[in-house]
Amino acid sequence: MHPIGVIHSPFTEKDKTPIQASRSQAIGLVEIYAEFAGGLKDIEALSHIYLLYAFHDSDGYTLQVRPFLDDKEHGIFATRYPYRPNPLGMSVVKLLFRKENYLTVEGIDTLDGTPLLDIKPYVPDFDLHTEVRVGWYETRSKK
Amino acid sequence: MHPIGVIHSPFTEKDKTPIQASRSQAIGLVEIYAEFAGGLKDIEALSHIYLLYAFHDSDGYTLQVRPFLDDKEHGIFATRYPYRPNPLGMSVVKLLFRKENYLTVEGIDTLDGTPLLDIKPYVPDFDLHTEVRVGWYETRSKK
């Protein structure tokens, strides 16, 4: 794994960073390193993209955590908590526009300086599921 | 990065593997290694989960590719093509049931033996977006 770019965001402190992209209207700038810019062809036709990134500021993990949205412990894999066995983060953001190897996005929820590992198109035909049970998030995710 | 488990699937050949999880009704068995099993607490209350995994059988990449669903070249980051700068794969699958450290899932689209890196809950409040433009997928993704 090696970064393909870096996410610039207004969030420089962990405890002031939004819990999830959907809760954020913050604007971020996704910089793709010049050597990977060719991989962006046609991305401007997409309205939403997944960012996959490293939780670079999260050292170590425990298998059960009390997530930000709850006061009970859950298994790490039933949460989005950033301290994970593999510190991989994922957010869906809205792509506002592209200028060369810079993507301006809305709904950023990552720390400034987060190393970007991959970008994937958000495709409702693949990614949108509506008949969903969300376990402990049921009462928490709208708070 | 180190695998937390392995995905068992009916697909042992790349060219017979479904293009996306949403196109597959195949049943898979996600094995989480015993040392990480504690991280599964409460996962059985979720109906859908993201699997993040390594495209372990994908060596190398080019920045522009002709994806399976199209006959034109697109930037790798505007596609889900498996040969990527960082060979990270992601699928949403339906969690049918859990037996200890084994998750039986529906909609698997990965090769048998795929190394599992992370599991995250699918939470519509975070992950579901409906007003979406999908670029070149527009005419292709339903074929």
Side-chain angles (χ1 to χ4, degrees), chain A residues 55-132:
Chain A
F55 286 123
H56 64 300
D57 207 24
S58 298
D59 286 333
Y61 67 92
T62 54
L63 289 175
Q64 298 190 12
V65 299
R66 187 171 292 119
F68 302 117
L69 295 169
D70 204 357
D71 52 4
K72 295 200 187 70
E73 288 211 331
H74 305 285
I76 185 73
F77 303 125
T79 80
R80 299 286 191 96
Y81 203 69
Y83 297 79
R84 316 180 71 80
N86 289 307
L88 286 171
M90 185 192 75
S91 302
V92 186
V93 295
K94 187 172 180 182
L95 176 55
L96 297 182
F97 52 88
R98 171 187 171 195
K99 169 69 175 168
E100 295 168 355
N101 55 323
Y102 289 88
L103 306 178
T104 299
V105 301
E106 181 182 301
I108 201 77
D109 63 343
T110 57
L111 275 175
D112 187 46
T114 291
L116 181 68
L117 298 176
D118 201 3
I119 299 173
K120 296 182 193 291
Y122 179 86
V123 182
D125 192 35
F126 304 156
D127 301 315
L128 189 151
H129 299 266
T130 52
E131 299 289 313
V132 173

